[in-house]
Amino acid sequence: MREIKNFYLLILKMIIFIVAVLTLIIGMKFYFSHLLTPSEYGLGVLEDEDEKIDLLIIGSSHTRQSYDVKIIEKNCQCNAKVIAYNGLDPYFMAPMIEWIKDNFKIRKWIVEAYNFKTIAPPKLSDSRIFTHSPVGLKWSFLKKLKSINTSYTDLFKLITTENNESIIFSPIENILVNRYSYKGGYTRKKTSHISQEDFNQSFKNVDYFKGMKTNLNQVNSILKIKELLADSDVLYIDPPMPAPVMSHEITKQLINNYKKLNPNYKAPWLNTPMAKNNKNFVDWNHLSTLGRENYSNLISTKLHSKHKIQ
Protein backbone atom coordinates (compact mmCIF):
# COMPACT_ATOMS: atom_id res chain seq x y z
CA MET A 1 0.00 0.00 0.00
CA ARG A 2 2.83 2.36 0.91
CA GLU A 3 4.57 1.59 -2.43
CA ILE A 4 1.42 2.52 -4.34
CA LYS A 5 1.07 5.71 -2.32
CA ASN A 6 4.71 6.62 -2.98
CA PHE A 7 4.25 5.92 -6.68
CA TYR A 8 1.28 8.30 -6.93
CA LEU A 9 3.18 10.88 -4.89
CA LEU A 10 6.08 10.63 -7.36
CA ILE A 11 3.69 11.08 -10.29
CA LEU A 12 2.16 14.12 -8.58
CA LYS A 13 5.60 15.64 -7.99
CA MET A 14 6.51 15.08 -11.65
CA ILE A 15 3.28 16.75 -12.78
CA ILE A 16 3.90 19.71 -10.48
CA PHE A 17 7.47 19.98 -11.77
CA ILE A 18 6.37 19.87 -15.42
CA VAL A 19 3.63 22.45 -14.81
CA ALA A 20 6.10 24.71 -13.01
CA VAL A 21 8.63 24.46 -15.85
CA LEU A 22 5.96 25.13 -18.49
CA THR A 23 4.64 28.08 -16.49
CA LEU A 24 8.16 29.50 -16.24
CA ILE A 25 8.76 29.08 -19.99
CA ILE A 26 5.38 30.57 -20.94
CA GLY A 27 5.90 33.45 -18.52
CA MET A 28 9.34 34.21 -19.90
CA LYS A 29 8.01 34.08 -23.46
CA PHE A 30 5.08 36.36 -22.62
CA TYR A 31 7.20 38.96 -20.83
CA PHE A 32 10.47 38.83 -22.76
CA SER A 33 9.88 37.52 -26.32
CA HIS A 34 9.80 41.08 -27.71
CA LEU A 35 13.45 41.48 -26.73
CA LEU A 36 14.35 38.93 -29.44
CA THR A 37 12.66 40.83 -32.29
CA PRO A 38 14.90 41.57 -35.32
CA SER A 39 16.12 45.16 -35.13
CA GLU A 40 15.30 45.79 -38.80
CA TYR A 41 11.83 44.24 -38.89
CA GLY A 42 8.38 45.05 -37.55
CA LEU A 43 8.17 46.50 -34.06
CA GLY A 44 11.88 45.83 -33.66
CA VAL A 45 12.67 49.02 -35.61
CA LEU A 46 11.44 51.06 -32.65
CA GLU A 47 14.23 51.79 -30.19
CA ASP A 48 13.96 53.15 -26.67
CA GLU A 49 16.32 55.98 -27.55
CA ASP A 50 14.16 57.18 -30.45
CA GLU A 51 13.38 60.76 -29.46
CA LYS A 52 11.54 61.51 -32.67
CA ILE A 53 10.77 59.60 -35.87
CA ASP A 54 10.19 61.86 -38.87
CA LEU A 55 8.09 59.34 -40.80
CA LEU A 56 6.51 56.09 -39.63
CA ILE A 57 4.79 53.86 -42.18
CA ILE A 58 2.54 51.11 -40.85
CA GLY A 59 0.61 48.36 -42.61
CA SER A 60 0.62 44.82 -43.97
CA SER A 61 2.84 42.96 -46.45
CA HIS A 62 1.66 45.46 -49.08
CA THR A 63 3.37 48.21 -47.09
CA ARG A 64 6.56 46.21 -46.58
CA GLN A 65 6.62 45.42 -50.29
CA SER A 66 5.83 49.00 -51.36
CA TYR A 67 8.25 51.26 -49.48
CA ASP A 68 12.02 51.34 -49.93
CA VAL A 69 13.12 53.21 -46.82
CA LYS A 70 16.56 54.05 -48.19
CA ILE A 71 15.02 55.79 -51.21
CA ILE A 72 12.53 57.67 -49.03
CA GLU A 73 15.20 58.81 -46.57
CA LYS A 74 17.48 59.95 -49.38
CA ASN A 75 14.77 61.92 -51.18
CA CYS A 76 13.13 63.38 -48.09
CA GLN A 77 16.25 63.85 -45.97
CA CYS A 78 14.33 62.36 -43.07
CA ASN A 79 14.39 59.55 -40.54
CA ALA A 80 11.84 56.95 -41.77
CA LYS A 81 10.77 53.55 -40.47
CA VAL A 82 8.30 50.87 -41.57
CA ILE A 83 6.28 48.57 -39.32
CA ALA A 84 4.64 45.90 -41.46
CA TYR A 85 3.28 42.43 -40.77
CA ASN A 86 1.55 40.02 -43.11
CA GLY A 87 -2.20 40.54 -43.10
CA LEU A 88 -2.16 43.37 -40.55
CA ASP A 89 -5.67 44.83 -40.64
CA PRO A 90 -7.27 47.90 -39.00
CA TYR A 91 -8.66 45.78 -36.15
CA PHE A 92 -5.19 44.87 -34.88
CA MET A 93 -3.51 47.99 -36.23
CA ALA A 94 -5.53 50.24 -33.91
CA PRO A 95 -4.04 49.00 -30.59
CA MET A 96 -0.59 48.98 -32.17
CA ILE A 97 -0.92 52.60 -33.25
CA GLU A 98 -2.25 53.55 -29.81
CA TRP A 99 0.76 51.93 -28.12
CA ILE A 100 3.24 53.55 -30.51
CA LYS A 101 1.65 56.96 -30.08
CA ASP A 102 1.86 56.64 -26.29
CA ASN A 103 5.54 55.69 -26.34
CA PHE A 104 7.15 57.46 -29.29
CA LYS A 105 7.11 60.88 -30.96
CA ILE A 106 6.10 60.52 -34.60
CA ARG A 107 6.25 63.65 -36.74
CA LYS A 108 4.36 62.17 -39.70
CA TRP A 109 2.45 58.91 -40.23
CA ILE A 110 1.56 56.94 -43.33
CA VAL A 111 -1.16 54.43 -42.48
CA GLU A 112 -2.08 51.70 -44.93
CA ALA A 113 -5.69 52.20 -46.05
CA TYR A 114 -6.17 48.92 -47.90
CA ASN A 115 -9.73 49.13 -49.18
CA PHE A 116 -10.30 45.34 -49.20
CA LYS A 117 -9.79 45.22 -45.43
CA THR A 118 -13.16 46.93 -44.95
CA ILE A 119 -14.87 43.63 -45.75
CA ALA A 120 -12.31 41.15 -44.38
CA PRO A 121 -13.05 39.50 -41.01
CA PRO A 122 -10.45 40.48 -38.36
CA LYS A 123 -7.59 38.01 -38.21
CA LEU A 124 -4.17 37.91 -36.59
CA SER A 125 -2.63 36.53 -39.77
CA ASP A 126 0.96 36.89 -38.63
CA SER A 127 1.47 35.62 -35.07
CA ARG A 128 4.84 37.42 -34.95
CA ILE A 129 2.80 40.54 -34.24
CA PHE A 130 2.05 39.04 -30.83
CA THR A 131 5.52 37.60 -30.22
CA HIS A 132 7.22 40.90 -31.10
CA SER A 133 4.96 42.98 -28.86
CA PRO A 134 5.86 44.17 -25.35
CA VAL A 135 3.67 42.99 -22.50
CA GLY A 136 1.17 45.86 -22.53
CA LEU A 137 0.53 45.47 -26.24
CA LYS A 138 0.22 41.69 -25.87
CA TRP A 139 -2.62 42.19 -23.39
CA SER A 140 -4.35 44.55 -25.82
CA PHE A 141 -4.14 41.94 -28.58
CA LEU A 142 -5.53 39.23 -26.29
CA LYS A 143 -8.52 41.45 -25.48
CA LYS A 144 -9.09 42.10 -29.18
CA LEU A 145 -8.88 38.38 -29.94
CA LYS A 146 -11.35 37.54 -27.18
CA SER A 147 -13.74 40.21 -28.49
CA ILE A 148 -14.05 38.32 -31.78
CA ASN A 149 -14.71 35.06 -29.94
CA THR A 150 -11.33 33.47 -30.55
CA SER A 151 -11.34 30.02 -28.96
CA TYR A 152 -9.37 29.34 -25.79
CA THR A 153 -7.49 26.66 -27.72
CA ASP A 154 -6.26 29.18 -30.29
CA LEU A 155 -5.37 31.66 -27.56
CA PHE A 156 -3.43 28.96 -25.72
CA LYS A 157 -1.52 28.03 -28.90
CA LEU A 158 -0.70 31.68 -29.57
CA ILE A 159 0.73 32.14 -26.08
CA THR A 160 2.52 28.80 -25.74
CA THR A 161 3.60 27.31 -29.09
CA GLU A 162 3.49 29.97 -31.82
CA ASN A 163 6.93 31.09 -33.05
CA ASN A 164 8.86 29.09 -30.46
CA GLU A 165 11.28 28.00 -33.18
CA SER A 166 11.90 31.64 -34.13
CA ILE A 167 12.61 32.50 -30.51
CA ILE A 168 15.01 29.57 -30.08
CA PHE A 169 16.89 30.30 -33.30
CA SER A 170 16.57 34.09 -33.07
CA PRO A 171 20.37 34.68 -32.86
CA ILE A 172 20.67 33.18 -36.36
CA GLU A 173 17.28 34.11 -37.80
CA ASN A 174 17.58 37.76 -36.82
CA ILE A 175 20.89 38.05 -38.67
CA LEU A 176 19.25 36.74 -41.84
CA VAL A 177 16.15 38.91 -41.48
CA ASN A 178 18.20 42.03 -40.81
CA ARG A 179 20.40 41.29 -43.79
CA TYR A 180 17.43 41.62 -46.14
CA SER A 181 15.77 44.50 -44.34
CA TYR A 182 16.37 48.14 -43.56
CA LYS A 183 14.30 49.95 -40.93
CA GLY A 184 11.36 47.62 -41.57
CA GLY A 185 11.42 47.64 -45.35
CA TYR A 186 13.05 45.31 -47.86
CA THR A 187 16.51 46.22 -49.04
CA ARG A 188 17.88 43.14 -50.83
CA LYS A 189 14.81 41.12 -51.73
CA LYS A 190 14.53 40.79 -55.52
CA THR A 191 11.26 39.81 -57.16
CA SER A 192 10.35 39.44 -60.82
CA HIS A 193 7.16 40.81 -62.34
CA ILE A 194 3.79 39.41 -63.32
CA SER A 195 3.25 38.47 -66.97
CA GLN A 196 1.31 40.83 -69.20
CA GLU A 197 -1.48 38.27 -69.56
CA ASP A 198 -1.80 37.76 -65.79
CA PHE A 199 -1.69 41.53 -65.33
CA ASN A 200 -4.54 42.02 -67.81
CA GLN A 201 -6.57 39.32 -66.05
CA SER A 202 -5.74 40.48 -62.53
CA PHE A 203 -9.23 41.95 -62.09
CA LYS A 204 -10.60 38.40 -61.86
CA ASN A 205 -9.07 38.07 -58.39
CA VAL A 206 -11.53 40.68 -57.15
CA ASP A 207 -14.47 38.41 -58.00
CA TYR A 208 -13.60 36.43 -54.87
CA PHE A 209 -14.94 39.31 -52.78
CA LYS A 210 -18.32 39.38 -54.49
CA GLY A 211 -21.16 39.40 -51.98
CA MET A 212 -18.97 40.10 -48.96
CA LYS A 213 -20.44 42.70 -46.62
CA THR A 214 -18.75 45.52 -44.75
CA ASN A 215 -17.23 44.24 -41.51
CA LEU A 216 -18.30 46.33 -38.54
CA ASN A 217 -15.18 45.47 -36.51
CA GLN A 218 -12.96 46.78 -39.28
CA VAL A 219 -15.11 49.88 -39.80
CA ASN A 220 -15.00 50.75 -36.09
CA SER A 221 -11.23 50.18 -36.09
CA ILE A 222 -10.73 52.51 -39.06
CA LEU A 223 -12.70 55.17 -37.18
CA LYS A 224 -10.70 54.42 -34.01
CA ILE A 225 -7.40 54.93 -35.86
CA LYS A 226 -8.74 58.18 -37.28
CA GLU A 227 -9.61 59.29 -33.74
CA LEU A 228 -6.23 58.26 -32.33
CA LEU A 229 -4.37 60.24 -34.99
CA ALA A 230 -6.75 63.21 -35.12
CA ASP A 231 -4.06 65.52 -33.76
CA SER A 232 -1.27 64.02 -35.90
CA ASP A 233 0.11 64.67 -39.36
CA VAL A 234 -1.08 61.54 -41.15
CA LEU A 235 -1.70 60.18 -44.63
CA TYR A 236 -4.00 57.22 -45.25
CA ILE A 237 -2.70 55.57 -48.41
CA ASP A 238 -4.12 52.57 -50.26
CA PRO A 239 -1.28 50.22 -51.29
CA PRO A 240 -0.53 50.10 -55.04
CA MET A 241 -2.46 47.59 -57.14
CA PRO A 242 -2.70 47.01 -60.91
CA ALA A 243 -5.02 49.26 -62.90
CA PRO A 244 -7.33 46.33 -63.88
CA VAL A 245 -7.90 45.59 -60.17
CA MET A 246 -8.68 49.22 -59.35
CA SER A 247 -11.11 49.53 -62.24
CA HIS A 248 -13.23 46.62 -60.99
CA GLU A 249 -16.68 47.69 -59.80
CA ILE A 250 -16.21 45.99 -56.42
CA THR A 251 -12.93 47.83 -55.85
CA LYS A 252 -14.50 51.15 -56.82
CA GLN A 253 -17.29 50.59 -54.33
CA LEU A 254 -14.84 49.65 -51.56
CA ILE A 255 -12.85 52.82 -52.25
CA ASN A 256 -16.00 54.93 -52.03
CA ASN A 257 -16.93 53.21 -48.76
CA TYR A 258 -13.48 53.89 -47.34
CA LYS A 259 -13.64 57.55 -48.34
CA LYS A 260 -16.92 57.88 -46.45
CA LEU A 261 -15.23 56.50 -43.33
CA ASN A 262 -12.12 58.59 -43.82
CA PRO A 263 -12.14 61.43 -46.37
CA ASN A 264 -8.34 61.60 -46.05
CA TYR A 265 -8.03 58.35 -48.00
CA LYS A 266 -5.41 58.69 -50.77
CA ALA A 267 -4.27 56.62 -53.75
CA PRO A 268 -1.49 58.75 -55.28
CA TRP A 269 -0.41 56.04 -57.74
CA LEU A 270 -3.91 55.59 -59.19
CA ASN A 271 -4.14 56.43 -62.91
CA THR A 272 -0.37 56.87 -63.13
CA PRO A 273 1.72 55.03 -65.75
CA MET A 274 3.14 52.74 -63.05
CA ALA A 275 -0.33 51.36 -62.27
CA LYS A 276 -0.68 50.33 -65.89
CA ASN A 277 2.71 48.64 -66.24
CA ASN A 278 2.87 44.92 -65.42
CA LYS A 279 6.59 45.17 -64.63
CA ASN A 280 5.76 47.05 -61.44
CA PHE A 281 3.79 44.14 -59.93
CA VAL A 282 4.76 40.69 -58.70
CA ASP A 283 1.10 39.58 -58.41
CA TRP A 284 -2.38 41.10 -58.42
CA ASN A 285 -1.81 43.23 -55.32
CA HIS A 286 1.91 43.42 -54.48
CA LEU A 287 4.71 45.41 -56.07
CA SER A 288 7.78 43.90 -57.69
CA THR A 289 11.27 45.16 -56.84
CA LEU A 290 11.07 47.62 -59.74
CA GLY A 291 7.62 48.72 -58.61
CA ARG A 292 8.86 49.31 -55.07
CA GLU A 293 11.62 51.55 -56.36
CA ASN A 294 9.27 53.49 -58.66
CA TYR A 295 6.59 53.86 -56.00
CA SER A 296 9.05 54.93 -53.29
CA ASN A 297 10.40 57.63 -55.60
CA LEU A 298 6.85 58.76 -56.39
CA ILE A 299 5.81 58.97 -52.74
CA SER A 300 8.99 60.54 -51.41
CA THR A 301 8.99 63.16 -54.18
CA LYS A 302 5.47 64.19 -53.23
CA LEU A 303 6.30 64.15 -49.52
CA HIS A 304 9.30 66.37 -50.10
CA SER A 305 7.56 68.77 -52.46
CA LYS A 306 5.12 71.53 -51.59
CA HIS A 307 2.34 69.67 -53.40
CA LYS A 308 0.06 67.60 -51.22
CA ILE A 309 -0.50 63.93 -52.00
CA GLN A 310 -3.80 63.57 -53.78
Side-chain angles (χ1 to χ4, degrees):
M1 191 70 178
R2 176 177 290 183
E3 291 180 353
I4 295 176
K5 183 178 180 180
N6 289 338
F7 174 75
Y8 282 119
L9 185 59
L10 177 63
I11 295 296
L12 179 60
K13 288 180 178 180
M14 289 178 63
I15 292 174
I16 293 174
F17 176 77
I18 293 172
V19 170
V21 170
L22 287 175
T23 300
L24 177 63
I25 293 173
I26 293 171
M28 291 183 66
K29 178 182 176 182
F30 191 86
Y31 284 95
F32 302 110
S33 65
H34 66 287
L35 299 177
L36 301 175
T37 306
S39 60
E40 302 291 335
Y41 183 86
L43 289 165
V45 304
L46 299 175
E47 302 172 356
D48 291 337
E49 60 267 24
D50 282 334
E51 293 185 2
K52 184 175 70 173
I53 299 172
D54 294 325
L55 177 63
L56 183 66
I57 308 168
I58 185 167
S60 67
S61 60
H62 300 87
T63 288
R64 182 161 165 79
Q65 191 73 10
S66 298
Y67 295 88
D68 187 314
V69 181
K70 286 188 176 181
I71 291 177
I72 292 173
E73 287 191 328
K74 179 181 178 182
N75 291 346
C76 294
Q77 294 296 301
C78 65
N79 168 27
K81 296 188 177 187
V82 170
I83 295 177
Y85 288 96
N86 297 336
L88 181 59
D89 57 24
Y91 187 74
F92 290 103
M93 192 187 294
M96 188 181 292
I97 287 176
E98 185 171 14
W99 178 82
I100 294 171
K101 194 170 184 290
D102 287 342
N103 290 277
F104 297 90
K105 294 180 180 180
I106 313 297
R107 189 177 68 81
K108 189 179 189 68
W109 299 72
I110 290 182
V111 176
E112 180 183 290
Y114 187 31
N115 64 81
F116 287 99
K117 288 299 184 183
T118 59
I119 56 176
K123 183 180 180 182
L124 193 67
S125 301
D126 190 342
S127 57
R128 290 176 299 178
I129 298 174
F130 184 82
T131 307
H132 292 175
S133 296
V135 179
L137 190 51
K138 279 189 175 81
W139 282 117
S140 296
F141 285 140
L142 289 177
K143 291 177 182 177
K144 299 289 283 187
L145 285 165
K146 202 70 192 90
S147 294
I148 54 174
N149 298 318
T150 305
S151 69
Y152 283 105
T153 300
D154 288 339
L155 290 175
F156 181 77
K157 288 180 180 178
L158 178 65
I159 296 172
T160 60
T161 62
E162 291 286 351
N163 295 314
N164 285 350
E165 67 284 352
S166 293
I167 293 175
I168 294 172
F169 295 105
S170 60
I172 298 174
E173 184 176 297
N174 289 355
I175 292 174
L176 297 176
V177 171
N178 290 339
R179 179 177 173 82
Y180 287 90
S181 306
Y182 175 74
K183 294 188 176 181
Y186 285 122
T187 184
R188 298 192 182 191
K189 182 178 180 180
K190 303 296 182 182
T191 56
S192 57
H193 58 79
I194 193 174
S195 69
Q196 185 65 56
E197 180 181 358
D198 287 341
F199 178 84
N200 294 338
Q201 299 298 314
S202 59
F203 68 91
K204 292 183 178 180
N205 291 279
V206 186
D207 292 336
Y208 168 80
F209 300 94
K210 187 176 182 179
M212 293 181 67
K213 304 298 182 183
T214 300
N215 187 282
L216 190 58
N217 282 314
Q218 300 288 22
V219 167
N220 289 336
S221 297
I222 291 170
L223 295 175
K224 176 64 175 179
I225 292 171
K226 182 181 174 183
E227 177 187 336
L228 287 169
L229 299 178
D231 59 348
S232 302
D233 185 358
V234 56
L235 292 170
Y236 298 91
I237 300 181
D238 207 336
M241 289 180 284
V245 171
M246 297 305 291
S247 62
H248 196 291
E249 288 304 315
I250 291 178
T251 312
K252 289 180 179 179
Q253 184 58 53
L254 292 177
I255 290 175
N256 288 333
N257 291 344
Y258 208 112
K259 285 182 177 179
K260 291 177 182 177
L261 293 172
N262 191 342
N264 291 323
Y265 165 96
K266 308 292 183 183
W269 50 271
L270 189 60
N271 298 321
T272 64
M274 73 162 290
K276 303 172 184 177
N277 187 345
N278 68 296
K279 293 183 179 180
N280 287 314
F281 298 90
V282 69
D283 55 34
W284 73 275
N285 63 354
H286 290 87
L287 292 178
S288 63
T289 299
L290 176 63
R292 180 166 67 249
E293 294 173 359
N294 290 335
Y295 178 70
S296 296
N297 277 309
L298 170 70
I299 288 294
S300 57
T301 299
K302 288 181 175 291
L303 285 172
H304 194 55
S305 71
K306 296 180 180 179
H307 303 287
K308 293 183 179 180
I309 291 180
Q310 302 298 323

